[in-house]
């Protein structure tokens, strides 16, 4: 298995340590064809993007692609912040980005209802060694993920169920229906083997993401490789390996909206 593209990398514009050019050079060294710069979304009060840096990032992506030959896409790892699936990427900013990743994160500004129903409960449960989420919390989290997939042209759900306790198979069913990929995250364990087996059964497709917060981790997927030794995800359903790249929903959505 050879990684073709890494769409989940961070830079100094959010929580990473490297510049865009550093990630692109690392991607070239790793033999990648495409790179996603997907810094944290606007609702993160410390590490989130700001609108004023987007034109600078766009120029740096273009310069990095010209130097390295690696297609360098400006993306975002947006935060799911509302029970209705609202994210912190407004449609007015869609043209600023090439790819649209989304996930649930701690320490972000949720809508009021989501803060009390999922944000705070998920945070405190994630601090426990053996968290036991209630049926109500699992139901709320699952519905929130599904609403995000239904109501936004999200390309990839990142680290599904990391510090957020949902029915992963139900989320994957919605992702399969709408053409959203589920990420196999190489930075953190986010699905148990049993959950991943259930997700595979839905027919959803996958991408592998390094979730690199430093240039030396761009394209580094050893954690996922170990996972795939245990759980046999069909390689033809992983769309950023062995020369393949995904047919991303966000690009198609913007193309249709422009007609």
């Amino acid at each position: 298995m050879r990684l073709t593209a890494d769409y989940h990398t961070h830079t100094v514009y959010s929580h990473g340590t490297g510049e865009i050019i550093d990630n692109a050079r690392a991607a070239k060294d790793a033999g990648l064809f495409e790179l996603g710069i997907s810094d944290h979304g606007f609702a993160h009060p410390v590490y989130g993007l700001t609108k004023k840096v987007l034109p600078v990032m766009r120029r740096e992506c273009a310069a990095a692609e010209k130097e390295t030959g690696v297609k360098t896409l400006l993306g975002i790892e947006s935060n799911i912040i509302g029970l209705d699936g609202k994210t912190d990427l407004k449609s007015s900013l869609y043209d600023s980005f090439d790819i649209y990743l989304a996930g649930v994160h701690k320490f972000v500004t949720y809508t009021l209802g989501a803060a009390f129903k999922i944000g705070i409960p998920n945070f405190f449960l994630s601090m426990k060694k053996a968290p036991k989420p209630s049926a109500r919390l699992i139901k709320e989290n699952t519905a929130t993920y599904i609403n995000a997939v239904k109501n936004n042209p999200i390309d990839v759900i990142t680290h599904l169920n990391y510090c957020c306790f949902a029915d992963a198979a139900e989320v994957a069913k919605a992702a399969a229906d709408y053409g959203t990929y589920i990420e196999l995250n190489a930075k953190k364990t986010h699905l148990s083997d049993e959950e991943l087996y259930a997700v595979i059964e839905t027919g959803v497709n996958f991408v592998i993401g390094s979730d690199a917060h430093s240039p030396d981790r761009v394209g580094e997927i050893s954690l996922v490789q170990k996972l795939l030794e245990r759980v046999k995800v069909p390689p033809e359903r992983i769309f950023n390996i062995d020369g393949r790249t995904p047919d991303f929903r966000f690009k198609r959505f913007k193309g249709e909206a422009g007609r």
Side-chain angles (χ1 to χ4, degrees), residues 65-76:
E65 181 172 331
K66 183 176 181 180
E67 177 186 318
T68 64
V70 176
K71 187 173 184 180
T72 305
L73 304 171
L74 180 54
I76 184 173

Side-chain angles (χ1 to χ4, degrees), residues 121-248:
N122 282 325
F123 172 75
F124 282 109
L125 270 177
S126 69
M127 303 298 287
K128 297 181 178 181
K129 289 184 178 179
K132 295 182 179 179
S134 67
R136 183 206 64 79
L137 181 58
I138 292 172
K139 183 178 179 181
E140 291 281 11
N141 286 331
T142 302
T144 299
Y145 271 122
I146 290 172
N147 286 336
V149 170
K150 286 182 176 179
N151 297 330
N152 304 279
I154 295 169
D155 292 320
V156 182
I157 292 292
T158 59
H159 47 67
L160 172 61
N161 276 19
Y162 180 73
C163 295
C164 182
F165 308 90
D167 185 329
E170 289 301 312
V171 177
K173 288 177 186 177
D177 288 342
Y178 284 85
T180 294
Y181 295 84
I182 297 295
E183 180 190 56
L184 300 173
N185 188 287
K187 182 172 183 281
K188 51 183 73 88
T189 299
H190 59 108
L191 292 173
S192 69
D193 290 2
E194 291 74 17
E195 287 174 321
L196 183 52
Y197 278 121
V199 167
I200 293 168
E201 288 298 313
T202 69
V204 75
N205 291 318
F206 301 88
V207 294
I208 300 172
S210 70
D211 198 355
H213 283 62
S214 57
D216 62 293
R217 287 204 71 258
V218 172
E220 208 292 306
I221 60 168
S222 58
L223 183 66
V224 172
Q225 289 172 321
K226 291 178 181 177
L227 172 67
L228 296 179
E229 291 174 3
R230 303 191 308 272
V231 182
K232 304 303 181 185
V233 178
E236 66 273 13
R237 285 171 52 194
I238 304 175
F239 274 77
N240 61 330
I241 63 171
D242 299 335
R244 295 194 302 278
T245 54
D247 177 20
F248 275 141

